[in-house]
Amino acid sequence: MSVTVETAIDPATGERFRCVFDSKTCLPVEPIQRFLNYCRKRGLAANTVETYAYRLVDYWRWLEYKALSWDGVGLDELADFVNWYLLGGDVEVIHESLRERVSKRSPKTVNQAMTAIQGLYEFHAAEGRIDDKRFIKLAHGWGKRGGFLRGIIKSGPERRKRLKLKEPKVFPGCLSDADVVRLVEGCLCYRDKLIVMLLRETGLRRGELLGLHLIDVQDVDVTGRLRVVRRDNPNGAWAKGTERVVPILHNRCTVQEMLRSYLLEEYPPEAEQLGHGMLFVSLEGEQRGQPMSLVRLNKLFEELHSRTGIKAHPHLFRHTFATRMLQQGYLDQYVQQLLGHRSISTTKDIYSHVLDEMSLESFMDGEEEQ
């Protein structure tokens, strides 16, 4: 196919960003690129913009396959795309009852694509590039529908996320206290121990963790609080949620000790010479002193898995943190603030159903006994 996602560099700022090119013309795909540029200006996380780029490329390939114009599709065509995309593009038509058994993409992935696609149309309708009346028809549909579209089209006045598959709610699991202790003991340096402890005691996203600057943790030693700030970072880390102050409520002394040991004994002078001000940096090799990358963070947990037998990842610590907070009786609104969710409904949707459907106390006890 001719449409691909490439990395481009802004000549004015040197910033890297994703660009969607048509290899036949060697030019950006204008409708997609205008929308992605708008998303960047809105301050969406780089990972989110990248996801949109790849999902829209899939959509453009489908349009090419069906010989359709992007500004001429309707609700029925989008429903066809959903069906096609869920099945991996190999099967066009299938009975609804068989869809889940043969689907090659998860409902979450399909919903990501529909969010990007409908965001694209909403943007171009607002800019006057497509007929607004046609967009409203595309977003809302006409009356009630059955068959495949049942459960995909939501009722109500909102324009966004109109086409959506139902995603099964699966409790992501938790790490026990014993698991965390073993992971810390499996670390070979203070930096890695600090990473594990901060993830466990703050619930930070991995982009927020790797985006920490020295100035963001300057109050940890005194007040036990750190700051999460949205900024461009040389390692591409990005704070997806709201900017906030996060208190370290548990094991504060241990975190403070780890931070001091890391900064005094391991933080390389090369990092200070580079002047980037990042907290987590590479400690050896050619990258010594450079900001720690997402690849290196993932590699750390692969190494810990081989040493401890515990398969963990940064987001699992976030689920563990939130679950423990709710289990201990903290208000949903407070947990929302700590996690950086923009809406309380997000917190409740992800975590509160756990409290309604199962006994977390018995779950955690069972985990610790394993």
Side-chain angles (χ1 to χ4, degrees):
M1 295 292 181
S2 61
V3 183
T4 59
V5 179
E6 306 291 344
T7 300
I9 300 177
D10 188 326
T13 64
E15 178 188 358
R16 294 177 178 269
F17 62 95
R18 290 302 197 181
C19 190
V20 175
F21 279 96
D22 187 334
S23 59
K24 293 179 180 178
T25 64
C26 296
L27 293 172
V29 179
E30 186 179 13
I32 297 180
Q33 201 56 48
R34 281 180 179 271
F35 173 61
L36 295 180
N37 292 342
Y38 164 72
C39 291
R40 288 173 55 220
K41 290 178 182 178
R42 280 182 54 205
L44 267 63
N47 288 342
T48 300
V49 178
E50 182 175 359
T51 298
Y52 284 1
Y54 279 104
R55 300 292 178 256
L56 289 171
V57 162
D58 290 339
Y59 178 56
W60 238 249
R61 289 173 176 173
W62 176 80
L63 290 173
E64 184 176 315
Y65 167 68
K66 300 288 285 187
L68 294 171
S69 170
W70 76 276
D71 55 356
V73 300
L75 188 63
D76 289 336
E77 287 82 7
L78 275 188
D80 288 341
F81 169 76
V82 169
N83 197 45
W84 178 86
Y85 198 56
L86 188 67
L87 297 171
D90 294 333
V91 183
E92 269 196 87
V93 180
I94 193 166
H95 192 273
E96 184 180 4
S97 63
L98 300 177
R99 193 173 66 236
E100 288 187 7
R101 280 185 249 168
V102 299
S103 62
K104 296 185 178 181
R105 291 189 176 93
S106 69
K108 181 177 181 180
T109 299
V110 175
N111 288 338
Q112 284 179 342
M114 294 313 301
T115 297
I117 292 167
Q118 292 181 262
L120 172 87
Y121 284 114
E122 186 175 58
F123 166 71
H124 285 289
E127 293 286 305
R129 296 187 187 91
I130 61 174
D131 180 40
D132 186 62
K133 292 181 180 179
R134 181 177 182 82
F135 167 73
I136 293 174
K137 176 184 175 182
L138 185 65
H140 293 272
W142 291 104
K144 296 182 179 180
R145 290 177 178 260
F148 174 70
L149 290 179
R150 186 184 294 115
I152 298 177
I153 303 177
K154 287 190 169 184
S155 60
E158 300 99 352
R159 289 188 177 187
R160 298 181 66 81
K161 299 182 181 178
R162 298 299 305 164
L163 296 175
K164 187 173 183 180
L165 293 177
K166 184 177 180 180
E167 298 179 24
K169 290 185 178 181
V170 179
F171 181 52
C174 287
L175 292 164
S176 68
D177 290 342
D179 289 337
V180 176
V181 170
R182 287 173 61 192
L183 288 169
V184 172
E185 292 175 345
C187 294
L188 304 180
C189 60
Y190 289 120
R191 179 201 65 185
D192 295 349
K193 292 181 179 181
L194 178 63
I195 286 174
V196 172
M197 291 300 298
L198 278 181
L199 287 172
R200 169 61 183 85
E201 304 305 337
T202 63
L204 294 181
R205 300 176 177 91
R206 59 183 183 177
E208 294 169 342
L209 178 86
L210 293 180
L212 289 173
H213 285 226
L214 293 170
I215 194 173
D216 298 331
V217 298
Q218 65 181 358
D219 294 331
V220 168
D221 214 30
V222 178
T223 66
R225 290 176 169 83
L226 58 82
R227 296 189 311 148
V228 174
V229 180
R230 301 188 74 175
R231 55 165 77 91
D232 290 327
N233 291 305
N235 59 353
W238 183 259
K240 178 181 178 181
T242 57
E243 295 187 8
R244 61 196 188 279
V245 175
V246 180
I248 300 170
L249 300 175
H250 305 102
N251 298 309
R252 180 181 297 177
C253 292
T254 302
V255 174
Q256 292 170 332
E257 180 182 347
M258 293 293 180
L259 178 61
R260 285 194 295 268
S261 298
Y262 167 55
L263 293 178
L264 292 175
E265 300 183 32
E266 293 179 351
Y267 198 77
E270 291 88 342
E272 299 179 26
Q273 294 167 6
L274 290 169
H276 49 64
M278 305 292 291
L279 173 62
F280 291 112
V281 300
S282 296
L283 301 180
E284 55 188 20
E286 295 181 358
Q287 298 297 315
R288 180 177 167 85
Q290 295 284 353
M292 189 175 183
S293 68
L294 177 59
V295 172
R296 183 65 191 90
L297 181 66
N298 292 337
K299 182 68 173 176
L300 166 61
F301 284 99
E302 291 175 7
E303 294 169 352
L304 287 174
H305 182 209
S306 65
R307 292 184 204 131
T308 67
I310 300 172
K311 192 169 185 178
H313 53 83
H315 217 71
L316 184 57
F317 286 87
R318 183 170 170 84
H319 289 306
T320 300
F321 172 79
T323 300
R324 295 290 182 113
M325 293 291 287
L326 292 169
Q327 182 189 25
Q328 293 170 9
Y330 287 89
L331 296 175
D332 291 344
Q333 291 85 345
Y334 186 55
V335 178
Q336 172 203 351
Q337 293 174 13
L338 293 178
L339 293 175
H341 288 157
R342 295 185 183 276
S343 169
I344 186 62
S345 62
T346 302
T347 309
K348 289 183 176 181
D349 185 54
I350 297 174
Y351 299 108
S352 292
H353 70 279
V354 177
L355 295 173
D356 296 333
E357 296 174 4
M358 64 180 293
S359 169
L360 283 179
E361 185 173 357
S362 62
F363 178 85
M364 298 304 297
D365 288 343
E367 285 288 292
E368 293 173 3
E369 289 171 6
Q370 292 180 5

